[in-house]
Amino acid sequence: MGAARISLVKPSMALLEGYAEALRRGWSPNTMRDVSADELQAVEADPEAFLADLTDQDGTVQMADGSEKPRLPFRLFWISDGEFCGAIGLRFMRGSEELPAYVPGHIGYTVVPWKQRRGYATAALGLVLAVAREGGLRHVVISCDADNEGSKKVILANGGVLAGEIPRDAETGKPKLNFRIET
């Protein structure tokens, strides 16, 4: 099946139409709120500028409450099996495993619905853990909604150990689980 054949690729024009099609089908790269319409508008308005902004290491990120926070250094990958399957990102602070309070974890990922439950997220997380290790991170923190059984399975399959619970996440209002994974 496809999960063994996935790779992590830099966002590029080659897969941008697949990304746009996923947005058209209602997929959102943000797991906390639906940004599909805004992203699609940006892709269609200026594809090159969209890709440049997507991978820009400077500037700020907008939080759900409208506030802006400094963008952390990150590595963003698109998950591919020959076509666009989702996205996974690694956020970090240079020289430290610590993260600011507004960052829920080192790694965030999302797979398009029509490719879920095939092992894509599990394989992608394993691949990005290797990137984290190569970047000097000895461990990472990753969070998921307490009721997200799929994400819990993905995290546990990659060595995740429950590290704490958040009764009510500030952004989503949902209970969250934090896991630690040694790289």
Side-chain angles (χ1 to χ4, degrees), residues 55-59 70-76 90-100 102-103 106 131-132 134-139:
T55 57
D56 183 8
Q57 295 286 316
D58 297 317
R71 182 175 277 171
L72 294 183
F74 67 95
R75 300 279 311 271
L76 176 66
L90 170 66
R91 299 173 289 252
F92 55 92
M93 295 193 37
R94 297 191 198 292
S96 174
E97 273 94 11
E98 299 302 313
L99 291 171
Y102 65 88
V103 178
H106 290 94
V131 173
E134 290 166 8
L137 293 173
R138 294 169 298 182
H139 72 268

Side-chain angles (χ1 to χ4, degrees), residues 133-170:
R133 183 174 45 255
E134 290 166 8
L137 293 173
R138 294 169 298 182
H139 72 268
V140 296
V141 172
I142 186 166
S143 67
C144 70
D145 290 342
D147 64 355
N148 188 335
E149 294 302 321
S151 271
K152 284 193 272 189
K153 287 179 182 176
V154 166
I155 296 164
L156 293 171
N158 277 284
V161 175
L162 186 61
E165 298 180 39
I166 302 168
R168 185 172 179 271
D169 180 70

Side-chain angles (χ1 to χ4, degrees), residues 42-135:
V43 168
E44 291 174 343
D46 188 340
E48 280 117 13
F50 174 80
L51 284 173
D53 183 57
L54 193 64
T55 57
D56 183 8
Q57 295 286 316
D58 297 317
T60 60
V61 293
Q62 187 172 17
M63 308 306 288
D65 66 4
S67 66
E68 293 195 354
K69 302 287 185 185
R71 182 175 277 171
L72 294 183
F74 67 95
R75 300 279 311 271
L76 176 66
F77 301 98
W78 283 351
I79 304 166
S80 173
D81 66 358
E83 59 186 43
F84 179 81
C85 301
I88 189 165
L90 170 66
R91 299 173 289 252
F92 55 92
M93 295 193 37
R94 297 191 198 292
S96 174
E97 273 94 11
E98 299 302 313
L99 291 171
Y102 65 88
V103 178
H106 290 94
I107 299 171
Y109 59 87
T110 177
V111 173
V112 295
W114 52 96
K115 300 266 182 166
Q116 291 177 359
R117 290 175 291 288
R118 296 183 178 180
Y120 284 54
T122 301
L125 180 53
L127 292 170
V128 97
L129 288 171
V131 173
R133 183 174 45 255
E134 290 166 8

